[in-house]
Amino acid sequence: MSSHKPIANTVVLDNTHVQASESRFQRLYNSNTTDIANVEIGSNSTNVVSTTLLPPGASFNLELPSHTYYLSLNTTVATVYRTPISGGD
């Protein structure tokens, strides 16, 4: 049994930088079936410090350095979902 459990509602990730204030652990899911999503990770709403690629139909758990970090998309994919999860934050 996994210790990671949803702690908030799933929301659509878009090109607006959104603070991951609920938890530094996030579950990302790209429901697009053909396009790779480029997920940006920022230390604030304007500073991108890292990016990660999320293949079509893929999902993964992401551990941010802090719950004060921001997430957004830099892609035409508009079907990436973010679910905050618990994990000892």
Side-chain angles (χ1 to χ4, degrees):
M1 176 175 241
S2 172
S3 64
H4 291 108
K5 297 180 177 146
I7 59 171
N9 293 332
T10 298
V11 295
V12 175
L13 198 58
D14 60 24
N15 63 356
T16 302
H17 288 82
V18 177
Q19 189 174 27
S21 59
E22 312 90 344
S23 174
R24 67 187 184 120
F25 298 94
Q26 302 285 314
R27 177 94 176 148
L28 301 177
Y29 169 62
N30 180 2
S31 67
N32 190 290
T33 59
T34 57
D35 294 326
I36 294 172
N38 183 13
V39 179
E40 295 182 333
I41 302 164
S43 59
N44 58 49
S45 62
T46 59
N47 183 36
V48 175
V49 296
S50 180
T51 61
T52 188
L53 298 178
L54 185 56
S59 62
F60 68 87
N61 291 345
L62 175 67
E63 181 179 354
L64 300 169
S66 163
H67 66 275
T68 61
Y69 270 61
Y70 287 73
L71 293 171
S72 69
L73 290 180
N74 183 6
T75 183
T76 58
V77 174
T79 52
V80 173
Y81 300 94
R82 173 180 74 87
T83 304
I85 54 177
S86 66
D89 190 27

